[in-house]
């Protein structure tokens, strides 16, 4: 991770606050993604949230399979909201993904 030390600490703190029970390997990948260059303009808490959702979506849900079956990104994301929230719940996340129709 190329982020400055203060940002790394802020990302680590936001990650621990958001996902108290996430497995170490998942947390390390999320931490690296949240510290990526394209995330540096975002506040650490938002970078961590976006990296978390993307990681769960790609690694712990059927998202990739849905894309391979021809679903567009928005449809595939809609269909994996419940799977994503189950992972977040298992990791005792302090927030869940909302269905945009519910907001």
């Amino acid at each position: 991770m190329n982020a400055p030390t203060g940002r790394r600490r802020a990302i680590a703190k936001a990650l621990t606050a958001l996902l108290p029970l996430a497995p170490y390997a998942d947390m390390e990948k999320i931490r690296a993604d949240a510290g990526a260059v394209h995330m540096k303009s975002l506040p650490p808490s938002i970078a961590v949230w976006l990296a978390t959702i993307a990681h769960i979506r790609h690694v712990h849900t059927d998202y990739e399979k849905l894309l391979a079956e021809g679903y567009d990104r928005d449809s595939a994301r809609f269909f994996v909201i419940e799977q994503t929230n189950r992972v977040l719940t298992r990791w005792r996340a302090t927030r869940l993904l909302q269905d945009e129709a519910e907001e």
Side-chain angles (χ1 to χ4, degrees), residues 18-30:
L18 176 66
L19 304 171
L21 294 182
Y24 180 78
D26 290 292
M27 287 187 78
E28 285 303 296
K29 177 71 170 106
I30 293 165

Side-chain angles (χ1 to χ4, degrees), residues 14-22 27 30 48 52 88 91-94:
L15 187 55
T16 302
L18 176 66
L19 304 171
L21 294 182
M27 287 187 78
I30 293 165
V48 164
T52 296
L88 288 167
W91 293 353
R92 298 296 186 260
T94 55

